[in-house]
Amino acid sequence: MKSELIVDVQPQEIAIALTEDDRLQEINREKRNEDNFAVGNIYYGRVKKVMPALNAVFVDVGYEKEAFLHYLDLGSEFRTFQQFVTKAVSDRRRVPAIDKQKRQPEVGKEGKIEDVLKVGDTLLVQVTKEPINTKGPRLTAEISIAGRNMVLMPLSDGVMVSQKIKRESERSRLKQLISSIKPHGFGVIVRTVAEDKRVAELDSELRLLVERWHETVKQLQQKQPVSLVSEEIGRTIGIIRDMLSSSFTSIQVNDESIYEEVKQYLTLIAPESAKIVKLYHQKQPIFDKFDITRQMKTGLGRTVGFKHGGYLIIDKTEALFSIDVNSGSKKLYEDQEENAFQYNMAAADEIVHQLRLRDIGGIIIIDFIDMHTKEHQQQLYDHMRSLMERDRAKHNILPLSKFGLMQITRQRVRPAVEVEVMETCPTCGGKGKIQPSILFTDQVEEQVAHLSEQYGRGLRLYLHPYVYAYVCRGLLGSLKQQWFVKYGVHVVENQSLGMLQTQFYDSKGEPVNPESK
C-alpha cells in the first residue's frame, strides 16, 4: 500500500488530503491567520464559572464561548502543578526546576471541583477537543508535549509503553531505555512508532521535547492571563508526525514556505524520508491533478454509493450521526436474506471509510438492511470490528440490536469534515434563469480585457472543465490561444468551480475579483 499526502495551501486555509493507493482516506482543513483553538494548544486561562452540578469549571481562554474543564481532567498532580505555575509567573527572571518542585497532596478521583478551584483562579490548560457546534473547547490541566516517538508529561515520573507494541522484549527494552535517559520530574508515554528505534534517535527527540517544555514555561512567564502560551505545530506537520510510515511515497505541497517547513521537520525526525517531499508548481490546481476534488464531490455528499449499486444516506443531528443502508434496485441473490447480508457487508466497508474520511465522532447509529439469522448478524458485527481495528480514533462498537441498529461511539476531538458538494448556479444565484449561455465567453473576455489593463499580462483564469474544453476548441484559432496572444492570460481548468463560474489570479498567485476594479 502506498500513501501520499497532498497539501493545498490557499490564502484563507490549508487543506490536507491523505490518499492510500490513490483513494482519498482523510481530508483536513486548517484556517490561516486566526485563532483556531487546535488540539494541543496550551493556554493561560482564568476560571469564569464553577459548576458544582457538573463537577466542572468554565475557563476563559480567549474563545467566544468559555472552555470546559471537568474535575477528572485536573490530574492527580494538579495542586503541585498550580504551585509550579504560580512560582514561574511570580519570578520571570528564571525558569523554576520542575524536578525540585515540592509535591502537594494529590487530587483524588472522588473529590469536588469547588474544593480545588474558585472563580478568578488562573491556570495552565491544554485543548483536548476543538470547539464543535455551539460548544467551546474541552480542556485538560494535565499538560503534555507530543513528539513522533513519545509524549512528554511534566510532573509525572512514570514511563508507559503503547499497548500496540506486542513483543514483551521490545516493551521492556523501551521502558528501561527511556527510564535511564529521561530527566527527573518528567514522565513519558512511548508511542507505537518507537518500536525498534535506536537509542540515539529516541534520546535526541526526548531532549527536543524537554526544550519545548522549557520554551513553553518561558512563554508563560511573558504572558498575562487569558492568552495563548504555546501553539501546537500546524495540522500538516501534526499529520506527518502521527502517520508517517514506510508506506509514504510522496508529500506534495504547492507552497514554497510550507514545503520548506515540512522538509525541515522531516530532516529532523526521519532524514531518510526528506526526499519524498516535493514542491508542486504546475498551473493546474493540485487537488485536481491528484483527483482529490472529484473524490470529495462523490464521497462527501448526503448520499454515497458503494459497490453492487447500494448507497448510504448520512445525516447529522445535534446529538448523533445516522447512516441508513439501502440496496438499490440490483438484486445479487434470489434469497432475500443472503441478498441483505451481502449488501450489508459491502456497506460496512464504505461506512468505515466514511467515518475516517469525514472524521465523524460522537454517537453513530447505523440502520443496516434487516437480517433474520443470528449467524449473519454476528458475521456483520465481527466484520465491522475487524475493519475498525485500523482506525486510529478510540471507538466502541455494539452488536446489532433487535431493531437491526448498530451503535458506534468514536472519539471526537474536532468538528466532522463538511464539504458542500451541491453547487448554486453562480450566474442565476439559484433563481433558475440565466442569460444566454452563448454570451458567456463574451462576458469572460470583457473581464479578461478589464483585468489585464489593471494587472498586466500573466493573469490566470480558471474555468469549469466543460467550459475549458469549449474555449480550447480548435488549435491556433481557439479562444484560449486568442486570449493569450491578446491579453497574456493563461486559461486553466478547475474541477471545483461551477459550470459558469470564473476565478482569476494575478501573476503573484493572489486572487483577483473582477468586480473590485
Side-chain angles (χ1 to χ4, degrees):
M1 179 182 69
K2 69 169 185 175
S3 301
E4 288 185 291
L5 206 63
I6 317 299
V7 184
D8 181 21
V9 181
Q10 297 297 329
Q12 300 301 320
E13 71 172 12
I14 300 176
I16 306 134
L18 173 69
T19 66
E20 292 177 357
D21 293 331
D22 298 323
R23 187 185 187 194
L24 181 63
Q25 297 292 340
E26 293 185 16
I27 184 76
N28 290 271
R29 295 177 182 275
E30 181 180 17
K31 296 293 183 182
R32 307 182 74 186
N33 302 321
E34 64 176 51
D35 293 332
N36 56 11
F37 293 86
V39 172
N41 282 5
I42 299 174
Y43 290 86
Y44 188 29
R46 176 179 278 120
V47 176
K48 297 293 287 185
K49 298 174 188 171
V50 178
M51 307 294 290
L54 300 175
N55 207 15
V57 293
F58 285 99
V59 182
D60 183 7
V61 292
Y63 188 66
E64 56 186 310
K65 290 190 175 292
E66 285 136 9
F68 182 82
L69 174 65
H70 193 271
Y71 176 83
L72 294 177
D73 293 320
L74 295 178
S76 61
E77 299 293 340
F78 178 73
R79 290 190 175 93
T80 305
F81 201 84
Q82 276 290 85
Q83 189 181 65
F84 174 84
V85 171
T86 302
K87 185 183 295 185
V89 296
S90 61
D91 184 0
R92 303 177 187 274
R93 294 171 298 177
R94 61 186 181 87
V95 176
I98 201 166
D99 58 327
K100 296 180 180 178
Q101 183 65 37
K102 185 179 179 181
R103 299 284 170 152
Q104 300 297 311
E106 291 189 357
V107 174
K109 293 184 178 180
E110 304 298 328
K112 297 179 180 179
I113 193 73
E114 60 266 32
D115 295 334
V116 184
L117 287 171
K118 62 181 184 299
V119 173
D121 284 352
T122 56
L123 68 169
L124 200 64
V125 288
Q126 190 167 27
V127 176
T128 59
K129 186 183 289 186
E130 294 179 12
I132 297 174
N133 298 332
T134 59
K135 299 176 182 177
R138 176 109 187 213
L139 305 174
T140 179
E142 292 188 280
I143 308 299
S144 62
I145 309 293
R148 171 157 171 74
N149 296 299
M150 64 191 78
V151 179
L152 186 71
M153 307 283 290
L155 280 177
S156 172
D157 280 325
V159 175
M160 292 177 285
V161 180
S162 168
Q163 294 294 327
K164 293 182 180 179
I165 299 178
K166 301 299 183 184
R167 286 183 292 139
E168 195 58 42
S169 59
E170 178 61 10
R171 292 174 58 83
S172 178
R173 181 188 79 91
L174 288 170
K175 190 165 186 175
Q176 291 178 10
L177 170 61
I178 299 300
S179 297
S180 66
I181 62 175
K182 76 173 184 66
H184 184 62
F186 291 93
V188 174
I189 300 173
V190 183
R191 306 179 78 173
T192 309
V193 292
E195 189 170 11
D196 296 323
K197 290 292 173 66
R198 295 172 302 167
V199 177
E201 187 174 347
L202 297 175
D203 181 59
S204 176
E205 180 169 333
L206 183 58
R207 292 173 184 271
L208 184 65
L209 294 179
V210 172
E211 182 58 32
R212 279 182 58 191
W213 163 250
H214 288 150
E215 287 298 321
T216 300
V217 179
K218 290 177 183 177
Q219 286 296 316
L220 170 65
Q221 293 176 315
Q222 306 303 317
K223 301 287 185 177
Q224 296 299 319
V226 191
S227 58
L228 175 65
V229 173
S230 175
E231 192 169 9
E232 171 69 319
I233 57 178
R235 187 73 58 85
T236 309
I237 301 298
I239 290 174
I240 294 171
R241 178 192 68 195
D242 295 339
M243 302 195 63
L244 183 67
S245 68
S246 57
S247 65
F248 266 68
T249 56
S250 74
I251 299 172
Q252 301 278 350
V253 187
N254 66 345
D255 179 85
E256 192 165 355
S257 63
I258 301 295
Y259 162 79
E260 293 293 344
E261 182 183 342
V262 171
K263 192 158 189 176
Q264 183 179 2
Y265 182 74
L266 276 183
T267 303
L268 182 66
I269 68 163
E272 69 283 357
S273 299
K275 62 180 181 294
I276 69 175
V277 187
K278 299 171 184 175
L279 180 62
Y280 180 86
H281 46 70
Q282 298 181 29
K283 292 177 181 176
Q284 183 181 10
I286 189 170
F287 272 13
D288 288 4
K289 174 70 175 178
F290 293 96
D291 199 35
I292 304 299
T293 305
R294 184 190 64 80
Q295 293 191 60
M296 287 169 58
K297 295 286 187 181
T298 58
L300 289 170
R302 179 173 180 259
T303 302
V304 180
F306 59 89
K307 64 182 180 181
H308 307 318
Y311 61 95
L312 308 174
I313 296 179
I314 304 175
D315 285 312
K316 173 189 175 184
T317 70
E318 184 71 21
L320 52 81
F321 280 84
S322 68
I323 302 177
D324 185 36
V325 179
N326 297 274
S327 61
S329 58
K330 187 177 179 180
K331 201 169 185 179
L332 300 176
Y333 298 91
E334 288 300 322
D335 179 60
Q336 176 59 31
E337 176 72 15
E338 185 64 27
N339 197 63
F341 174 66
Q342 293 299 331
Y343 269 109
N344 284 338
M345 293 291 276
D349 293 328
E350 183 58 35
I351 288 170
V352 172
H353 175 246
Q354 287 292 321
L355 296 184
R356 185 180 175 190
L357 175 61
R358 301 175 188 236
D359 199 12
I360 293 175
I363 301 173
I364 303 129
I365 306 295
I366 306 170
D367 183 11
F368 283 104
I369 303 170
D370 289 341
M371 299 182 298
H372 301 292
T373 67
K374 295 292 184 183
E375 181 183 359
H376 282 161
Q377 293 177 8
Q378 185 62 41
Q379 284 181 301
L380 177 60
Y381 173 61
D382 292 340
H383 185 52
M384 281 293 294
R385 291 185 62 187
S386 174
L387 292 172
M388 291 289 286
E389 284 180 356
R390 299 194 295 270
D391 194 344
R392 292 182 297 126
K394 295 178 182 177
H395 59 269
N396 187 32
I397 308 172
L398 297 182
L400 287 169
S401 71
K402 63 180 180 180
F403 299 116
L405 303 177
M406 180 177 287
Q407 300 175 62
I408 298 176
T409 59
R410 187 173 183 270
Q411 182 185 29
R412 175 169 61 181
V413 297
R414 54 180 59 93
V417 174
E418 293 183 7
V419 175
E420 182 56 64
V421 297
M422 303 301 291
E423 298 173 354
T424 300
C425 173
T427 306
C428 73
K431 297 176 182 176
K433 293 184 178 181
I434 64 173
Q435 295 179 355
S437 300
I438 197 170
L439 300 180
F440 177 66
T441 53
D442 294 339
Q443 295 170 357
V444 173
E445 184 169 5
E446 289 178 8
Q447 292 178 336
V448 170
H450 174 63
L451 291 175
S452 64
E453 289 181 4
Q454 301 291 334
Y455 295 93
R457 301 175 73 87
L459 285 170
R460 273 184 291 152
L461 164 63
Y462 288 97
L463 298 171
H464 185 278
Y466 287 174
V467 179
Y468 176 79
Y470 176 79
V471 302
C472 289
R473 287 193 317 164
L475 189 59
L476 296 177
S478 69
L479 289 174
K480 176 182 178 181
Q481 183 66 21
Q482 291 177 29
W483 292 349
F484 177 74
V485 172
K486 192 172 181 180
Y487 307 109
V489 65
H490 301 275
V491 184
V492 187
E493 64 177 322
N494 188 333
Q495 297 175 11
S496 66
L497 295 179
M499 179 72 76
L500 300 181
Q501 191 175 1
T502 60
Q503 200 172 66
F504 287 90
Y505 287 84
D506 62 21
S507 58
K508 297 178 181 178
E510 296 294 327
V512 174
N513 182 2
E515 308 297 329
S516 64
K517 292 288 182 179

